[in-house]
């Protein structure tokens, strides 16, 4: 089966959530790079040469609550660089105001934690990556 390479940036400060998401992503054949906070995510996107396009990543998954810089601010800064890569918020905070805050910051979609095989499948399909 010839599949194109899919690269994802996973932005999550809690190791257990990174372990779970990494396992789901790798099982789907997705290449994963990780950032432990929003500032590190912004740096990785900037260094990937992402300005004005989709850059090195096909998809970015980000948590909300992280030290140094939260997911909302990271999303705003990545969008301010002109990056069009789909950003999906993955958070335990899934009430409508929480979801709307992420969408307002520039996220394309939201899914509650944990990331599962089924959720990943829907997200990849939604963004034409399946």
């Amino acid at each position: 089966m010839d599949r194109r390479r899919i690269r994802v940036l996973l932005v999550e400060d809690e190791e257990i959530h990174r372990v779970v998401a990494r396992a789901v992503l790798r099982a789907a054949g997705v290449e994963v790079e990780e950032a432990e906070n929003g500032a590190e995510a912004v740096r990785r996107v900037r260094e990937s040469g992402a300005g004005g396009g989709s850059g090195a990543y096909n998809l970015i998954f980000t948590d909300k609550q992280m030290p140094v810089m939260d997911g909302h601010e990271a999303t705003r800064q990545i969008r301010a660089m002109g990056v069009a890569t789909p950003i999906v918020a993955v958070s335990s905070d899934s009430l409508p105001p929480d979801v709307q805050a992420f969408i307002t910051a520039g996220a394309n979609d939201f899914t509650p934690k944990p990331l599962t095989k089924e959720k990943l499948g829907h997200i990849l399909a939604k963004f034409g990556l399946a």
Side-chain angles (χ1 to χ4, degrees):
M1 181 183 202
D2 185 32
R3 293 180 56 157
R4 66 181 171 153
R5 192 175 123 191
I6 299 171
R7 289 187 68 212
V8 167
L9 178 60
L10 174 64
V11 189
E12 169 63 65
D13 63 317
E14 293 187 39
E15 185 175 7
I16 185 63
H17 294 299
R18 283 197 314 275
V19 168
V20 170
R22 183 187 317 132
V24 170
L25 290 162
R26 287 187 178 158
V30 174
E31 291 181 26
V32 185
E33 285 190 32
E34 299 174 22
E36 293 186 24
N37 62 62
E40 185 181 341
V42 170
R43 179 184 57 77
R44 284 181 174 272
V45 170
R46 184 178 296 118
E47 289 175 359
S48 75
S54 60
Y57 303 109
N58 301 103
L59 196 58
I60 298 170
F61 285 103
T62 184
D63 185 25
K64 175 181 153 186
Q65 296 179 354
M66 297 177 286
V68 185
M69 181 187 296
D70 70 16
H72 294 160
E73 183 57 28
T75 298
R76 280 190 285 275
Q77 289 193 24
I78 289 168
R79 290 297 183 229
M81 287 187 266
V83 175
T85 302
I87 298 175
V88 178
V90 184
S91 179
S92 301
D93 300 327
S94 57
L95 294 174
D98 298 312
V99 174
Q100 189 54 50
F102 253 118
I103 301 303
T104 300
N108 300 84
D109 203 356
F110 180 96
T111 192
K113 283 183 182 176
L115 186 63
T116 63
K117 179 182 174 184
E118 293 76 20
K119 290 175 187 175
L120 178 61
H122 290 298
I123 291 164
L124 292 176
K126 178 174 182 172
F127 296 107
L129 299 169

